[in-house]
Amino acid sequence: MVIAIALIVLVLATVLFHFLSPWWFTPIASNWDTVDSTVDVTFWVTGVVFVAVNLFLAYALIRYRHRKGNKAHYEPENKKLEWWLTGITSVGIAAMLAPGLSVWANFVTVPEGTSEVEVLGQQWAWTYRFPGKDGQLGASNANLISVDNPFGMDPNDPVGQDDHLVASPELHLPVDKPVKMLLRAKDVNHQFAVPQFRVKMDMVPGMVTYFWFTPTRTGEFDVLCEQLCGVAHFAMRGRVVVNKEEDFATWLAAQPTFEKTLTASKGDPEAGKALFTACTACHGAQAEGNRELNAPKLSGQSDWYLVRQLQSFKGGVRGAHEQDTFAKQMIPFATMLADDTAIKNVVAYIKTLPEVRPAASVVGDPVRGKEIYETCTSCHGSTAKGIWATNAPRLSNMSDWYMARQLRNFRDGIRGGHPQDFHGAQMRSMTQVLADDESIADVLDYVRTL
């Protein structure tokens, strides 16, 4: 009787929770309202079966409960009941599958005249590619992927020269215009999903998968990876911004073409030497850093990371939080660099400077730090030299006091909160494993041994 009552309570609580729950679908922002209808059908079919089966089980427990003097009657077969159950089950399965198959057929049947955009997923970031004026995307190959060619595009293919490259997890699309999403993965399986659009699709290395949809209202919508892709899967976030057509055209025109990235300056160390003169007062003549002036060591750091940080300072992405005092001090110095060419020049000069091992200033337990650092290896590498593919800078042989401050800033929400700081937001999530300052000291003391 206790089990029977528990089953009845379970059914009643489940039904009440379904109808009274504050959790419902987010408002739809695309043409795929049929996806919601399909899910509703599935809810009703499975819901009716759930209620019927559990209430029947409760009825059977009550009706046929043990009574003294009663004997059980055993029937090994009941063909009539089996036919009924087989028929009802078949109807229920067909009722769930038929709408889904119909919607799926439309989901992958792209209307003529639909524009295209490529989504490239990697651990743990999104980037995008748009065709140029010719309306065609150029050829690409995973073997061609490098720091200078992150999309793996074929430089000998003239079709791809005018492709627009978006090296950011933020994608812009025009409202009320159908778009075909071509999905590629660099490394492992990912899944591109935007809940408000009711779209998602697996991304498999070596394949190009696709779907299409039409954004129906302007706004900003979260991009999620819904395929477990590694330790930072939960932090693999992006954003879709749906604009009016004229605003979208303005944004797209500002994105560099593949041809422009090929001809972009790699950085001139000689030109950068003069620019670096202003930096020496804080960072030192050899970019060795100066703790007294809160200036970290720069020599030996990855050039792509230094370029990104200078761009972030200049654009106000870093130093946006009122408590990030030292980052705010860097903003006016970064603005002295007129453009990306100047930034690349000064970084190219820093790259020529010899390294000096900084003095240790953070003391912890390296044995415990090694255990904590296991989480960090997936991005920064087992030797903490940094991995470009995962957007993780070098940690070994860098200023430990500076890294300690940054880890605290990430953990406390001082850094990584700007809407455009996608990589900072990932670190903000990952540093939650560092429970206290002692944990930070332990992991940095271990990094020093690498």
Side-chain angles (χ1 to χ4, degrees), residues 31-311:
N31 58 311
W32 289 119
D33 57 331
T34 50
V35 172
D36 286 9
S37 300
T38 302
V39 175
D40 286 340
V41 170
T42 302
F43 268 131
W44 279 105
V45 172
T46 56
V48 168
V49 171
F50 174 82
V51 171
V53 168
N54 281 283
L55 289 182
F56 172 76
L57 186 57
Y59 164 77
L61 287 170
I62 296 172
R63 175 70 177 80
Y64 302 107
R65 68 188 184 278
H66 172 69
R67 294 185 180 88
K68 192 174 181 179
N70 283 9
K71 293 181 66 177
H73 174 66
Y74 174 64
E75 288 188 25
E77 291 187 22
N78 188 326
K79 290 189 176 181
K80 184 177 180 180
L81 178 61
E82 288 176 6
W83 275 110
W84 269 104
L85 291 176
T86 300
I88 293 172
T89 302
S90 300
V91 169
I93 292 174
M96 288 192 295
L97 289 182
L101 291 173
S102 175
V103 172
W104 174 259
N106 293 330
F107 197 63
V108 294
T109 303
V110 183
E112 290 186 12
T114 299
S115 62
E116 293 183 343
V117 58
E118 181 184 78
V119 181
L120 189 59
Q122 68 179 74
Q123 294 175 317
W124 287 268
W126 305 101
T127 51
Y128 311 95
R129 180 164 65 115
F130 285 83
K133 292 182 180 179
D134 58 7
Q136 300 180 57
L137 289 169
S140 61
N141 189 315
N143 293 325
L144 298 174
I145 292 174
S146 67
V147 176
D148 298 322
N149 186 8
F151 290 82
M153 295 185 63
D154 184 353
N156 298 317
D157 180 16
V159 175
Q161 296 296 312
D162 64 347
D163 288 359
H164 293 277
L165 308 182
V166 184
S168 164
E170 183 172 281
L171 169 68
H172 288 240
L173 293 173
V175 69
D176 295 328
K177 298 289 183 181
V179 58
K180 179 181 180 180
M181 310 294 287
L182 301 167
L183 310 175
R184 285 200 297 143
K186 278 187 180 181
D187 36 37
V188 299
N189 286 5
H190 298 283
Q191 188 182 84
F192 183 83
V194 184
Q196 292 90 340
F197 296 156
R198 306 298 191 267
V199 295
K200 63 168 63 179
M201 181 70 72
D202 282 351
M203 307 169 72
V204 183
M207 295 177 60
V208 177
T209 54
Y210 69 91
F211 61 84
W212 76 277
F213 72 102
T214 302
T216 54
R217 61 185 176 91
T218 58
E220 297 185 1
F221 309 98
D222 289 331
V223 175
L224 311 174
C225 177
E226 295 191 355
Q227 182 74 269
L228 185 59
C229 59
V231 67
H233 157 70
F234 70 97
M236 187 171 170
R237 298 297 186 95
R239 185 183 303 121
V240 176
V241 180
V242 180
N243 299 124
K244 294 180 180 178
E245 190 167 5
E246 56 272 21
D247 295 331
F248 167 74
T250 301
W251 172 83
L252 184 61
Q255 306 308 310
T257 62
F258 180 51
E259 181 180 26
K260 184 177 179 180
T261 62
L262 288 176
T263 58
S265 170
K266 304 299 182 184
D268 179 359
E270 286 301 316
K273 183 177 182 180
L275 293 171
F276 188 72
T277 303
C279 312
T280 59
C282 294
H283 292 278
Q286 303 298 314
E288 70 275 16
N290 187 332
R291 186 181 182 184
E292 300 302 319
L293 297 176
N294 295 290
K297 173 177 175 286
L298 304 179
S299 60
Q301 185 55 272
S302 307
D303 50 358
W304 59 265
Y305 180 74
L306 292 176
V307 168
R308 178 185 294 164
Q309 296 310 303
L310 286 171
Q311 290 171 337

Side-chain angles (χ1 to χ4, degrees), residues 355-387:
E355 274 204 78
V356 177
R357 183 171 175 81
S361 60
V362 176
V363 179
D365 179 358
V367 175
R368 180 170 178 264
K370 182 178 181 179
E371 296 177 2
I372 300 173
Y373 187 75
E374 286 297 320
T375 303
C376 314
T377 58
S378 298
C379 293
H380 294 276
S382 59
T383 59
K385 289 184 179 179
I387 301 177

Side-chain angles (χ1 to χ4, degrees), residues 271-283 309-316 328-346:
K273 183 177 182 180
L275 293 171
F276 188 72
T277 303
C279 312
T280 59
C282 294
H283 292 278
Q309 296 310 303
L310 286 171
Q311 290 171 337
S312 295
F313 282 123
K314 188 174 179 180
K328 287 184 180 297
Q329 292 177 354
M330 264 300 298
I331 293 176
F333 289 98
T335 56
M336 292 169 60
L337 300 170
D339 49 30
D340 284 351
T341 299
I343 289 175
K344 291 179 180 179
N345 288 344
V346 76

